[in-house]
Amino acid sequence: MKKILIVEDEKPLCEAIKIKLNKEGVKNYIVNSAEEAIEFLKNDDIDLIWLDLRLPKMNGMQFLELIKSNPEWKDKKVVIVSVSGNYEIMEKAKNMGAIDYIVKSELKLDDIIKRVVAVA
C-alpha cells in the first residue's frame, strides 16, 4: 500500500484530500507544518510527500531544500501542490528535486489526487 505524507496547512482541504486518498486505497498522513513533517519523517517511512509551499514558519521551498540535503531523505519523492503558479518557483522546485509541481487552481481535486497517486 502506498503511503503519502500531506504537508498542508489548509485544514478543510486536508479533510477532502484524506477522504479521496482513502478511496484510492492510499494510506495517508496529514501534518500542518514543515516542522511536523520533519518529526514524522524521523519516525516513519513514506513513498511520497505532497507539499504545499505556503506554510507557517518554514515554507515549502525551505522544507524541500532540507529534505533534499538530508542523506536519509534525499531520495523521497516530493510533489509540490501550491496556489502559486510562478514559473520561476516551479522551475526552482523541479531543479531542487520535486518530481512534479501542480497548481491547485488549474485542476480539480480529483485530478490532482490521480496525478499524485500515479507517481507515488
Side-chain angles (χ1 to χ4, degrees):
M1 179 182 280
K2 293 180 182 178
K3 293 175 17 175
I4 296 178
L5 176 63
I6 297 125
V7 188
E8 169 66 64
D9 65 333
E10 219 178 296
K11 292 196 168 112
L13 177 58
C14 289
E15 286 309 306
I17 293 167
K18 187 166 199 60
I19 290 166
K20 291 179 182 295
L21 283 174
N22 285 341
K23 283 183 183 173
E24 293 287 326
V26 175
K27 194 161 181 67
N28 56 90
Y29 308 91
I30 295 173
V31 295
N32 302 122
S33 70
E35 293 79 8
E36 286 178 67
I38 291 165
E39 288 308 307
F40 185 92
L41 288 171
K42 287 178 182 175
N43 301 308
D44 208 327
D45 192 34
I46 49 102
D47 298 303
L48 182 133
I49 299 168
W50 166 312
L51 180 61
D52 184 20
L53 293 183
R54 294 188 181 169
L55 297 168
K57 296 181 188 166
M58 182 189 299
N59 69 41
M61 291 300 277
Q62 292 166 321
F63 179 63
L64 179 61
E65 189 174 346
L66 184 135
I67 291 169
K68 293 302 178 181
S69 66
N70 182 316
E72 218 175 301
W73 302 330
K74 68 179 175 49
D75 295 328
K76 294 280 180 213
K77 295 179 192 173
V78 179
V79 173
I80 306 289
V81 184
S82 179
V83 294
S84 174
N86 179 304
Y87 179 77
E88 287 176 13
I89 293 172
M90 293 171 86
E91 282 300 301
K92 184 176 180 187
K94 287 183 179 177
N95 289 336
M96 290 171 65
I99 61 169
D100 200 355
Y101 190 113
I102 301 169
V103 180
K104 289 177 183 174
S105 61
E106 292 179 358
L107 296 170
K108 291 181 179 154
L109 184 56
D110 286 339
D111 295 326
I112 293 172
I113 296 288
K114 284 184 181 112
R115 196 156 142 186
V116 170
V117 170
V119 296

